[in-house]
Amino acid sequence: MDDFDTLRQEVRAFVAEALPHRVREKVRLGLEVGKEEMVDWQRRLAERGWLAPHWPRAWQGQDWSAARRAVLQEELVLAHAPETGGISIEMIGPILIRHGTPAQQQHFLPRILSQEHWWCQGYSEPNAGSDLASLTTRAVRKTRADGSAYYVVNGSKIWTSYAQYADWIFCLVRTDVDARAQEGISFLLIDMRSPGVSVRPLIGIHGWHLFNQVFLDDVEVPVEMRVGEENAGWSIAKSLLEHERLNLSRVAENRRRLAKVRAIGNEVEEAGEPLMQRPWFARRFHALEVRLETLAATVLRFRRLERQGAALGPETGMLKLIGSQLIQDIENLAVDALGPDTLAYDRIAHFEPAEPGAQETGRSPYAAAASARRFVTRGYTIAGGTSEIQHELLAKQVLGL
């Protein structure tokens, strides 16, 4: 038994004991997990040392390799544990470790791990999404009478995930309007409680409160809350892509969702037999299996190159492209399999799994959130670079077209 097999067994045993059944059922059925449940689960992971194992030991991490951490993440996903880390652990944490000042590191990193601080990301703007370098949120540097320097920030950020829960936001702002687009941007840390910060919810067609628009009106930010040099924010923002490029394929998440579709195929009947025995369903399901295994093999090839010290180039962009399209097709098949039962919108059912022993309604327990899940995944081919842009980059940078 190699080290990875031992880790897999440890994770499975831990999840079986530590993950509350109610939360596991919510994730399995595709229901929404609340902030309190997320905080509770992430605290349990932190106590085990698995919330940020890829962080350096100096900051309560374990210096895990990307491959070892991928095993942990895969086992957590397959065990129906809530997605962890997100913006705080995966994005701003590594940025501060790499680019933050000692004061910023000492103040923020422990509070991220303890979950005293939840973060959101302020990148996209109403007119600067895929073309992020065209952002217009402005930060003007000023000096008080006592000599202390600060920025006055005006603008807005959009599609800001979970800003309704966030304590802090890291923002790209324009500090030099005369410089080339990418060269006039700085990276600021902004307290969400600052005067002038307001949040407007953006409720999607799926009915869930995932996104928000954040408004910044004459918000004062101390210069000490700038990460890196002034006008060097673009290179800092790009470095985020280096942390989880291979995980953008969503292999583990695709496996879990495909297992859900298999369960639906065995449970739901058509013409007196399970869907798994119906040609139309079986053909689509097995095509998804082949695509997933092909993607998984490609990710393994890149991980092997990474362990050998090879530099990964722009070709890794295809992993995000393929993985996000695959997850959409999986959710489309789930909705098609469940049929009209997915049309009824039940807000309560999106948060609460059916109690054990509840009266049988004839409706699959997967139906309540199926349409919402499908609509949520539409954003996967937009966020992080649209599929159209991914095709363009691959064509130019990989194929030389």
Side-chain angles (χ1 to χ4, degrees):
M1 181 182 299
D2 64 24
D3 185 47
F4 285 171
D5 287 336
T6 300
L7 176 60
R8 289 185 187 278
Q9 291 194 3
E10 291 177 357
V11 176
R12 291 169 190 172
F14 171 79
V15 175
E17 178 181 351
L19 181 62
H21 174 76
R22 181 173 178 275
V23 176
R24 180 185 293 110
E25 280 297 284
K26 291 179 75 169
V27 176
R28 182 179 71 85
L29 297 174
L31 308 182
E32 193 168 358
V33 178
K35 179 181 178 181
E36 296 77 13
E37 292 167 321
M38 282 298 304
V39 168
D40 175 69
W41 172 238
Q42 292 191 160
R43 280 177 179 158
R44 297 176 190 227
L45 283 173
E47 290 170 0
R48 187 64 175 77
W50 287 348
L51 182 57
H54 55 306
W55 285 19
R57 293 186 183 277
W59 297 111
Q60 302 178 47
Q62 298 190 45
D63 283 317
W64 275 16
S65 67
R68 185 171 177 81
R69 184 161 172 274
V71 170
L72 169 66
Q73 293 293 82
E74 179 175 315
E75 288 300 325
L76 291 175
V77 168
L78 294 177
H80 305 300
E83 184 177 349
T84 59
I87 292 170
S88 298
I89 299 295
E90 307 300 339
M91 302 182 79
I92 189 59
I95 283 296
L96 291 174
I97 289 170
R98 180 181 295 188
H99 301 285
T101 65
Q104 290 170 348
Q105 293 170 344
Q106 291 165 12
H107 179 77
F108 289 114
L109 293 176
R111 289 171 172 81
I112 290 173
L113 287 179
S114 69
Q115 298 184 83
E116 179 181 342
H117 288 171
W118 273 43
W119 287 77
C120 59
Q121 179 194 52
Y123 280 12
S124 295
E125 298 182 3
N127 294 308
S130 296
D131 183 18
L132 183 59
S134 66
L135 64 87
T136 59
T137 294
R138 184 81 167 93
V140 178
R141 184 165 176 160
K142 297 188 176 183
T143 304
R144 295 186 175 89
D146 62 4
S148 61
Y150 65 101
Y151 292 101
V152 176
V153 182
N154 283 280
S156 73
K157 300 295 179 175
I158 203 166
W159 312 125
T160 313
S161 301
Y162 299 113
Q164 71 271 29
Y165 299 139
D167 305 291
W168 286 78
I169 181 172
F170 57 94
C171 282
L172 291 180
V173 297
R174 189 161 301 284
T175 43
D176 188 342
V177 296
D178 297 320
R180 290 179 53 191
Q182 292 91 338
E183 295 175 359
I185 294 172
S186 296
F187 195 106
L188 296 185
L189 312 176
I190 302 176
D191 190 335
M192 293 288 284
R193 297 163 296 184
S194 301
V197 177
S198 59
V199 178
R200 184 181 73 181
L202 298 174
I203 308 300
I205 192 173
H206 42 67
W208 294 356
H209 185 183
L210 303 178
F211 301 118
N212 304 270
Q213 185 168 6
V214 177
F215 296 91
L216 305 162
D217 298 308
D218 289 329
V219 178
E220 297 187 4
V221 181
V223 167
E224 291 77 17
M225 290 297 102
R226 187 190 69 224
V227 178
E229 297 298 322
E230 188 167 281
N231 300 325
W234 186 255
S235 60
I236 294 173
K238 286 199 304 182
S239 71
L240 284 174
L241 299 177
E242 300 175 11
H243 295 294
E244 287 300 313
R245 287 183 296 177
L246 298 183
N247 285 341
L248 290 175
S249 61
R250 302 179 183 271
V251 169
E253 181 63 19
N254 272 303
R255 288 196 191 282
R256 188 178 66 78
R257 294 191 187 223
L258 194 59
K260 173 189 67 179
V261 176
R262 180 189 291 276
I264 292 170
N266 289 325
E267 168 195 290
V268 177
E269 292 188 352
E270 180 184 72
E273 60 184 4
L275 285 177
M276 282 299 295
Q277 298 178 22
R278 302 293 290 173
W280 73 268
F281 182 91
R283 181 173 59 253
R284 288 174 61 182
F285 180 84
H286 293 309
L288 292 170
E289 279 189 313
V290 171
R291 289 168 58 189
L292 176 53
E293 293 310 314
T294 303
L295 176 62
T298 305
V299 172
L300 286 176
R301 177 165 60 87
F302 279 119
R303 289 203 183 281
R304 187 161 52 247
L305 292 172
E306 185 181 48
R307 287 197 297 272
Q308 293 170 355
L312 301 182
E315 64 273 12
T316 56
M318 70 179 173
L319 302 177
K320 188 269 182 184
L321 174 67
I322 295 171
S324 57
Q325 292 175 338
L326 179 57
I327 209 166
Q328 289 178 351
D329 291 341
I330 290 173
E331 293 300 335
N332 285 338
L333 181 54
V335 170
D336 290 348
L338 292 165
D341 282 348
T342 67
L343 297 178
Y345 178 75
D346 184 346
R347 181 62 176 165
I348 295 177
H350 281 213
F351 290 94
E352 298 296 334
E355 292 294 332
Q359 183 178 358
E360 178 61 48
T361 64
R363 186 186 188 201
S364 169
Y366 294 103
S371 287
R373 280 294 173 192
R374 177 175 66 172
F375 290 133
V376 168
T377 62
R378 296 308 303 165
Y380 289 10
T381 50
I382 300 173
T386 67
S387 291
E388 291 78 9
I389 287 178
Q390 295 298 328
H391 278 117
E392 185 82 7
L393 292 174
L394 290 169
K396 290 182 177 179
Q397 299 180 8
V398 178
L399 301 178
L401 299 179

